[in-house]
């Protein structure tokens, strides 16, 4: 019999707060983390806005010497992991470290480091490139640093599936525990791609909003006037445990990860398949894995990026899965406030789902002033809504046609 998998810890570094409480309270306040980019000169770019992480004191988590050897994405991952492990109450002295693993995904990894080191190479030659360049750049080092810091010797790797990366990391970590290969898994994602080259690339792909004069109103999921997503950054980490392990140590349990579905559109490198086929199958697979009927789901945290094609495709997929009930299920988009945290989006949205379950409230989707007639579900636009959530879905989709859906549920006291 496979192990049940529960969540016992959260950690967040985000554009609207660098702790879980700050993040959650900002969502309830309808606070946008989008503003003008401060990291570099954007005067030549058609887009000059993003959702940056602000006021993070990395020295509280990482020694000064180590900071100089780490990409920003790695710093975010370590900071969020430290929070999550502390929140979980894990006692490192009593853990079987061979049965503790780490899976942390990223869509782009250390692109900031790559840019800086390439500039040094061009300007001063190969002798000026840092000996730490490779470990600072490669995507797996977020997981590697966390493993090294805490001595976790279980499964350790990165997932890379664009904006579905951290949802895939959590799905994989769940499967590892279900197979009995670990008791505890640190899972999630980290991203720090608000850099000159990445911004230029997204601009040229015409994927991101150009509403520069109204940054806080730029991320507009499901609105007829949406013109692309807003780049975000940060890290979100969860601590997963087998139910037996968590109960044995008396852990506080936030909820249960019940199932996951992973599919491909097999259609286009950036655009979703128009009929939502891949997203539909991911949700159906997750429901089947969780042994949950569509009628039992009472909240969906959508991928909801505010791209013209993506929002329509996801809406169609939800309708196909839930039929007439689709319009009755509260759906929202956390990205309306924090932008799109790319490879870490799935994890931070899953944390949002668990906070919604815990507090019996679904945050509003901001900036839906003129709903798109083709996006006609209940996106909770009027304000935060009280909602007693038993089962919920979190959707994450990515360039390349990657689709991941996660099913989570409340843990009842009598279980």
């Amino acid at each position: 019999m496979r192990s049940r998998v529960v969540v016992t810890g959260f950690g967040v570094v985000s554009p609207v707060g660098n702790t879980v409480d700050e993040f959650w309270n900002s969502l309830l306040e309808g606070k946008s983390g989008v503003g003008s980019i401060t990291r570099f000169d954007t005067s030549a770019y058609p887009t000059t806005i993003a959702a940056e992480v602000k006021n993070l004191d990395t020295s509280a988590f990482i020694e000064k010497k180590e900071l100089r050897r780490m990409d920003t994405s790695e710093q975010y991952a370590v900071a969020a992991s430290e929070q999550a492990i502390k929140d979980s109450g894990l006692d490192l002295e009593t853990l079987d470290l061979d049965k503790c693993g780490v899976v942390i995904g990223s869509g782009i990894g250390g692109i900031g480091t790559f840019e800086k080191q390439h500039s040094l190479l061009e300007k001063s030659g190969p002798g000026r490139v840092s000996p730490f360049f490779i470990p600072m750049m490669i995507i797996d080092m977020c997981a590697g640093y966390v493993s090294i810091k805490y001595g976790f010797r279980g499964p350790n790797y990165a997932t890379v599936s664009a904006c579905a990366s951290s949802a895939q990391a959590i799905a994989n970590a769940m499967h590892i525990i279900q197979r009995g290969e670990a008791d505890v898994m640190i899972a999630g994602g980290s991203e720090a791609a608000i850099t000159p080259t990445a911004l230029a690339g997204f601009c040229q792909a015409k994927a991101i909003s150009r509403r520069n004069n109204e940054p806080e109103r730029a991320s507009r999921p499901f609105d007829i006037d949406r013109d692309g997503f807003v780049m975000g950054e940060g890290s979100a980490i969860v601590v997963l445990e087998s139910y037996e392990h968590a109960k044995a140590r008396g852990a506080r349990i936030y909820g249960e990860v019940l199932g996951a579905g992973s599919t491909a559109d097999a259609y286009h490198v950036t655009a979703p398949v128009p009929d939502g086929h891949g997203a539909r199958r991911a949700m159906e697979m997750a429901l089947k894995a969780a042994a949950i009927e569509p009628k039992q789901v009472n909240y969906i945290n959508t991928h909801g990026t505010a791209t013209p094609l993506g929002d329509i495709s996801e809406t169609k997929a939800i309708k196909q899965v839930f039929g007439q009930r689709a319009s009755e299920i509260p759906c929202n988009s956390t990205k309306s406030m924090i932008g799109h945290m790319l490879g870490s989006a799935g994890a931070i949205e899953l944390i949002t789902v668990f906070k919604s379950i815990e507090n019996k409230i679904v945050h509003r989707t901001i900036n839906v002033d003129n709903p798109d007639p083709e996006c006609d579900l209940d996106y909770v636009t009027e304000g935060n809504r009280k909602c007693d959530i038993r089962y919920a879905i979190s959707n994450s989709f990515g360039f390349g046609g990657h689709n991941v859906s996660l099913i989570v549920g409340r843990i009842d006291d009598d279980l």
Side-chain angles (χ1 to χ4, degrees):
M1 182 177 178
R2 72 182 190 180
S3 297
R4 295 171 59 191
V5 180
V6 297
V7 179
T8 59
F10 300 139
V12 163
V13 172
S14 85
V16 294
N18 298 322
T19 67
V20 173
D21 287 344
E22 287 177 2
F23 166 71
W24 176 244
N25 289 334
S26 293
L27 296 186
L28 296 183
E29 293 167 7
K31 179 181 177 181
S32 172
V34 183
S36 296
I37 292 172
T38 64
R39 309 279 174 77
F40 53 92
D41 181 8
T42 60
S43 58
Y45 292 77
T47 292
T48 63
I49 59 173
E52 296 177 325
V53 167
K54 308 162 191 74
N55 305 315
L56 176 66
D57 180 11
T58 49
S59 66
F61 305 98
I62 306 163
E63 293 182 5
K64 188 174 182 180
K65 182 179 179 181
E66 281 296 304
L67 278 172
R68 295 194 297 269
R69 301 174 178 179
M70 298 173 70
D71 182 76
T72 305
S73 64
E74 295 162 356
Q75 295 174 23
Y76 290 166
V78 170
S81 296
E82 174 95 352
Q83 293 178 43
I85 291 168
K86 182 178 180 180
D87 183 47
S88 72
L90 287 169
D91 182 355
L92 301 180
E93 297 297 321
T94 60
L95 284 177
D96 180 353
L97 298 179
D98 290 337
K99 298 280 282 184
C100 299
V102 187
V103 183
I104 299 177
S106 183
I108 299 178
I111 189 168
T113 291
F114 189 96
E115 290 179 16
K116 292 173 185 176
Q117 295 301 314
H118 183 265
S119 179
L120 279 173
L121 173 66
E122 293 286 287
K123 182 179 179 180
S124 304
R128 299 298 297 169
V129 171
S130 170
F132 298 101
F133 169 47
I134 299 302
M136 290 172 72
M137 178 193 68
I138 53 179
I139 291 175
D140 72 297
M141 205 54 67
C142 290
Y145 267 114
V146 173
S147 169
I148 293 166
K149 182 178 176 67
Y150 298 101
F152 295 156
R153 298 188 294 262
N156 180 267
Y157 61 93
T159 49
V160 185
S161 48
C163 303
S165 295
S166 59
Q168 191 68 67
I170 292 167
N172 289 12
M174 174 193 71
H175 292 143
I176 288 168
I177 293 173
Q178 287 177 338
R179 293 193 300 264
E181 296 171 13
D183 297 324
V184 177
M185 292 295 297
I186 311 303
S190 191
E191 204 78 83
I194 303 175
T195 70
T197 304
L199 179 65
F202 280 122
C203 284
Q204 290 300 100
K206 295 181 172 56
I208 54 178
S209 174
R210 300 187 180 189
R211 195 182 287 262
N212 299 318
N213 59 333
E214 295 182 300
E216 294 180 352
R217 294 167 57 80
S219 186
R220 311 178 66 81
F222 311 111
D223 187 88
I224 193 68
D225 298 317
R226 67 192 183 278
D227 66 333
F229 69 84
V230 174
M231 288 184 71
E233 64 173 355
S235 179
I237 300 294
V238 298
V239 176
L240 302 179
E241 297 184 55
S242 71
Y243 177 72
E244 296 76 15
H245 188 272
K247 289 296 288 185
R249 69 180 187 86
R252 175 193 53 206
I253 297 174
Y254 288 110
E256 186 170 5
V257 184
L258 295 158
S262 179
T263 69
D265 284 346
Y267 174 73
H268 191 270
V269 292
T270 58
V273 63
D275 65 3
H277 178 76
R280 172 183 66 79
R281 287 183 54 245
M283 286 185 275
E284 289 175 344
M285 289 175 65
L287 287 164
K288 183 178 181 180
I292 299 297
E293 296 292 329
K295 64 183 179 182
Q296 294 177 275
V297 173
N298 48 1
Y299 168 44
I300 301 171
N301 188 292
T302 68
H303 186 57
T305 59
T307 58
L309 298 178
D311 289 1
I312 294 172
S313 176
E314 184 173 12
T315 298
K316 289 179 178 178
I318 291 170
K319 288 180 177 181
Q320 291 165 24
V321 174
F322 295 96
Q324 291 184 339
R325 276 200 70 237
S327 61
E328 303 171 5
I329 303 171
C331 304
N332 63 356
S333 172
T334 305
K335 293 181 182 74
S336 66
M337 286 176 267
I338 63 172
H340 193 346
M341 287 171 54
L342 307 177
S344 54
I348 203 160
E349 288 159 12
L350 191 72
I351 290 173
T352 301
V353 172
F354 278 115
K355 294 299 291 183
S356 299
I357 292 172
E358 177 187 12
N359 293 279
K360 297 184 178 181
I361 191 167
V362 173
H363 73 72
R364 64 176 290 204
T365 305
I366 68 170
N367 298 328
V368 188
D369 300 324
N370 300 296
D372 185 338
E374 294 191 73
C375 299
D376 55 354
L377 300 179
D378 179 5
Y379 302 114
V380 191
T381 59
E382 77 288 350
N384 301 328
R385 184 182 303 172
K386 293 182 179 179
C387 187
D388 188 11
I389 302 164
R390 183 65 182 89
Y391 299 108
I393 289 180
S394 181
N395 283 333
S396 298
F397 314 132
F399 281 4
H402 311 291
N403 306 297
V404 178
S405 291
L406 299 170
I407 302 280
V408 302
R410 186 177 66 222
I411 287 282
D412 290 329
D413 292 337
D414 58 346
L415 291 180

